[in-house]
Amino acid sequence: MTISYSADDVVSFWENLPAYILPFLIVASLIGLALAVLWSVFIASPIVVGRCRYFMESRQSPSPFSTVFSVFQTPYLNVVKVSFLTGLKIFAGMFLLLIPGIYWSYCYALVPYLLAENPYLTTTRAMELSKEMMYGEKLHYFVLELSFIGWNLLCILTFGIGFFFLAPYQSATFAEFYAAMRAKALSMGMTTTQELGGFVRHDNPNY
């Protein structure tokens, strides 16, 4: 049996919807949107930073999976602030003119790694350093992203199961890219080992 819906069916549904239901739907939608934003700002973004640290530490020696959640310790709120303001600038660029947003997304692509290495960086410094490190490297980063298109298509054919295997490989690859950009930044005097102290495993629970 085939079930199909036409545009008239959709219009009819909304026309016949009781008036008292609409406010509840609006409120529910706003609550859902607010929860999604809070999740992205306070949970998802810090986990991205923690994931960057996990893969950078794993380049040198096996790192415990708990490293992904280490960012929820001190200075958690600074990581949240920097990640939020960086994302907000990129979103504003996308929303207003699109091109600036795309450009900024590449300029600030390394901010999560910088926060993973030094979670005390200010927003201005993190964005500035990422932009300097990505100077002349945006095309290389774009090509690196394109190299995964075929793998992503194959993963879609597996109904998403393949992403469980592809995601770690992608994260490890981008960690190598950051390692190369970090080495370049240090050699060119963009930063110092005092600012970027490396990804030595930290066993201090207060880190």
Side-chain angles (χ1 to χ4, degrees):
M1 182 177 65
T2 303
I3 300 177
S4 61
Y5 297 95
S6 64
D8 291 336
D9 293 328
V10 176
V11 172
S12 176
F13 170 79
W14 285 105
E15 287 179 345
N16 295 324
L17 194 69
Y20 65 86
I21 294 293
L22 189 58
F24 288 102
L25 291 177
I26 295 175
V27 171
S29 299
L30 292 176
I31 292 175
L33 178 61
L35 290 175
V37 171
L38 290 174
W39 171 269
S40 175
V41 172
F42 292 100
I43 304 296
S45 292
I47 286 180
V48 169
V49 174
R51 182 187 64 189
C52 292
R53 180 163 194 93
Y54 170 79
F55 279 97
M56 290 303 295
E57 286 188 6
S58 297
R59 295 178 64 252
Q60 304 171 64
S61 62
S63 180
F65 187 72
S66 59
T67 301
V68 174
F69 305 101
S70 63
V71 74
F72 288 100
Q73 300 170 10
T74 303
Y76 163 70
L77 290 180
N78 185 64
V79 172
V80 168
K81 181 195 70 173
V82 176
S83 299
F84 172 73
L85 292 178
T86 302
L88 184 63
K89 181 175 181 178
I90 294 172
F91 174 78
M94 292 286 194
F95 183 76
L96 296 176
L97 296 171
L98 185 62
I99 299 301
I102 295 174
Y103 174 75
W104 286 335
S105 69
Y106 282 95
C107 286
Y108 307 135
L110 302 183
V111 167
Y113 289 95
L114 293 170
L115 288 175
E117 188 166 5
N118 183 354
Y120 293 93
L121 286 174
T122 64
T123 304
T124 300
R125 180 54 180 158
M127 296 171 70
E128 175 189 48
L129 185 53
S130 177
K131 187 175 182 179
E132 291 177 353
M133 294 168 70
M134 287 296 289
Y135 181 78
E137 305 291 347
K138 299 178 189 66
L139 180 59
H140 296 152
Y141 191 83
F142 175 69
V143 172
L144 184 60
E145 288 182 317
L146 285 181
S147 68
F148 288 102
I149 287 183
W151 289 108
N152 280 284
L153 292 176
L154 287 176
C155 288
I156 292 174
L157 295 178
T158 65
F159 301 100
I161 297 176
F163 286 111
F164 288 100
F165 303 94
L166 178 61
Y169 175 57
Q170 283 182 303
S171 295
T173 301
F174 287 115
E176 292 298 328
F177 179 86
Y178 173 75
M181 296 303 99
R182 179 182 183 276
K184 183 188 78 170
L186 288 171
S187 66
M188 296 180 64
M190 298 176 188
T191 184
T192 65
T193 53
Q194 283 71 40
E195 184 174 49
L196 299 182
F199 287 92
V200 178
R201 178 176 166 180
H202 291 269
D203 294 317
N204 183 355
N206 294 320
Y207 176 76

